[in-house]
Amino acid sequence: MPESPEHIFLSKTALEIMENASRSRLFGYTEGQRKRFDFSCDLKKDWSKVVAGQTLWRHGGDGIDKDLRTLLHEQDIAAAVYIARHESSNRARLAEVTQDYLKTMRESLTRLRVFWVPADFDADDESARKTVRNLLREEITKDLLLQVALGGLTPQDVTRFAASRRPGLPLGIMSHVKKHGYRNHRHTAKALGIDLNALKLETERLFVLGFLRSDSLQGGDYSVTDSGNAMLDICSRLHNYLHGSLGDGNKNEEFEHICKLLGIDYPSIPTTTRLLIGEAEIDIQNPTALLLQHVAQADADGSVDWSEPYFDLPSSSDPSTG
């Protein structure tokens, strides 16, 4: 059976949303070969995570079982995306199938992300296309990209990170751990040129917040988590903003959209705002202002290796790359 216009539009739109989001420069994007899936792509940072998906429009019933089996048995994908027509029969069948998988493939099921599209969607209607595109953009960014590309970072994580009373130090610690590892408190305090007690308290705080991990429940021998790396990347782009080099006109629409989903309204803080300790003129109840203060102070202290932006990579389907 040939693919419907709705099926084609939804599959193409999912890829466009992820490719456009990569313009935030928080991750790279490469479109993958379709092979067994309706769409697939590779999101890249210092890792590579494959996202693959199926689109359900005309077929239902056993087709749902087949789609999920195809998705969930693929071990190499980080996220299995299912874009489906919102009908009661489809929802009921999906619930039945996933209930079965809970018994046999619980871990694989955690990779599944389902996005429902109104049943009356008509791909020939320009207004409907715009509405559905906006709906998918919001949901895919929040429920897929923040989880996969940004390590599950949440607005609460950002607020708690920004609430540290030691401006710049959390970023300095994470940057040091990422580059050099963490041998022990004393060695790291000496390397960073900071008070030992302050280092202990801030490192333990980062561990509790989930930005650092350790094989020991008591801490020690730390490494940076996925959400910690995402925070470093976001702060690096905020560093670009403070230096007027975020993008054309110091603007980046996709980065701004992702930041707002995380509760970061950085355009509300002018780049001329005094942020450094001793001269700050910021609202200490404003998480965005406090986060920018961390960035500005770490920059002034020279304690962070700011990550470079992640740029688009050639598409695997581009014949010029062969």
Side-chain angles (χ1 to χ4, degrees):
M1 180 183 296
E3 295 176 344
S4 68
E6 289 76 19
H7 186 288
I8 294 170
F9 172 84
L10 294 171
S11 299
K12 181 180 179 182
T13 297
L15 287 178
E16 288 177 349
I17 289 168
M18 288 183 275
E19 182 176 19
N20 289 341
S22 72
R23 295 172 186 167
S24 66
R25 304 312 190 201
L26 294 175
F27 58 91
Y29 168 92
T30 306
E31 185 175 343
Q33 301 287 349
R34 286 184 55 166
K35 296 182 180 178
R36 301 170 63 194
F37 306 108
D38 288 329
F39 57 90
S40 69
C41 65
D42 198 352
L43 307 182
K44 295 179 179 289
K45 292 177 68 168
D46 45 1
W47 41 248
S48 177
K49 295 187 179 182
V50 175
V51 176
Q54 299 287 88
T55 300
L56 167 70
W57 196 253
R58 285 179 176 165
H59 68 281
D62 292 338
I64 294 176
D65 194 1
K66 180 175 180 283
D67 283 345
L68 292 189
R69 193 183 313 116
T70 300
L71 282 169
L72 298 179
H73 278 82
E74 187 68 43
Q75 297 299 315
D76 295 334
I77 63 177
V81 178
Y82 202 32
I83 299 177
R85 185 171 184 159
H86 190 253
E87 292 180 337
S88 57
S89 58
N90 287 341
R91 291 192 72 106
R93 182 57 184 160
L94 183 73
E96 291 175 9
V97 175
T98 53
Q99 191 64 35
D100 289 340
Y101 277 121
L102 277 174
K103 303 171 186 175
T104 59
M105 298 181 65
R106 181 180 293 269
E107 185 174 344
S108 294
L109 200 58
T110 63
R111 297 184 279 125
L112 181 64
R113 300 284 188 276
V114 181
F115 302 105
W116 295 102
V117 176
D120 62 354
F121 169 57
D122 179 0
D124 292 327
D125 185 326
E126 183 177 352
S127 176
R129 290 199 305 272
K130 181 177 180 181
T131 297
V132 167
R133 183 182 289 109
N134 289 339
L135 171 71
L136 288 176
R137 180 188 185 224
E138 198 74 7
E139 293 189 355
I140 287 176
T141 304
K142 284 193 299 185
D143 298 337
L144 174 63
L145 296 178
L146 293 189
Q147 293 296 319
V148 176
L150 297 182
L153 199 64
T154 68
Q156 292 75 21
D157 292 333
V158 173
T159 297
R160 291 166 184 158
F161 178 88
S164 169
R165 298 184 178 182
R166 303 174 182 88
L169 183 55
L171 288 172
I173 292 172
M174 291 199 302
S175 178
H176 178 85
V177 172
K178 183 172 183 177
K179 185 174 182 180
H180 303 289
Y182 197 105
R183 287 173 54 184
N184 56 59
H185 290 315
R186 193 171 300 280
H187 177 272
T188 304
K190 182 177 180 181
L192 290 173
I194 59 175
D195 176 75
L196 178 61
N197 190 52
L199 174 80
K200 287 181 179 179
L201 292 172
E202 198 60 49
T203 300
E204 289 168 3
R205 183 175 179 276
L206 290 169
F207 174 62
V208 170
L209 292 178
F211 290 106
L212 295 178
R213 71 166 66 89
S214 173
D215 291 334
S216 169
L217 292 177
Q218 302 301 315
D221 194 21
Y222 295 104
S223 59
V224 182
T225 63
D226 285 347
S227 60
N229 277 311
M231 181 59 76
L232 282 171
D233 289 334
I234 287 171
C235 286
S236 292
R237 303 291 72 75
L238 293 176
H239 173 259
N240 294 147
Y241 170 71
L242 291 178
H243 283 267
S245 58
L246 182 60
D248 187 19
N250 203 26
K251 294 180 180 180
N252 183 314
E253 180 182 342
E254 292 298 334
F255 178 66
E256 185 175 339
H257 177 67
I258 289 173
C259 279
K260 285 188 175 179
L261 291 176
L262 292 169
I264 306 170
D265 185 18
Y266 67 86
S268 69
I269 311 295
T271 57
T272 55
T273 303
R274 295 200 300 272
L275 297 167
L276 299 179
I277 299 173
E279 61 177 47
E281 54 176 26
I282 64 172
D283 178 2
I284 61 173
Q285 300 301 316
N286 183 335
T288 298
L290 292 176
L291 185 61
L292 284 170
Q293 184 178 54
H294 280 292
V295 173
Q297 191 62 52
D299 188 32
D301 295 341
S303 60
V304 172
D305 287 333
W306 304 105
S307 66
E308 292 296 324
Y310 296 94
F311 291 97
D312 294 336
L313 299 172
S315 171
S316 61
S317 61
D318 184 349
S320 66
T321 65

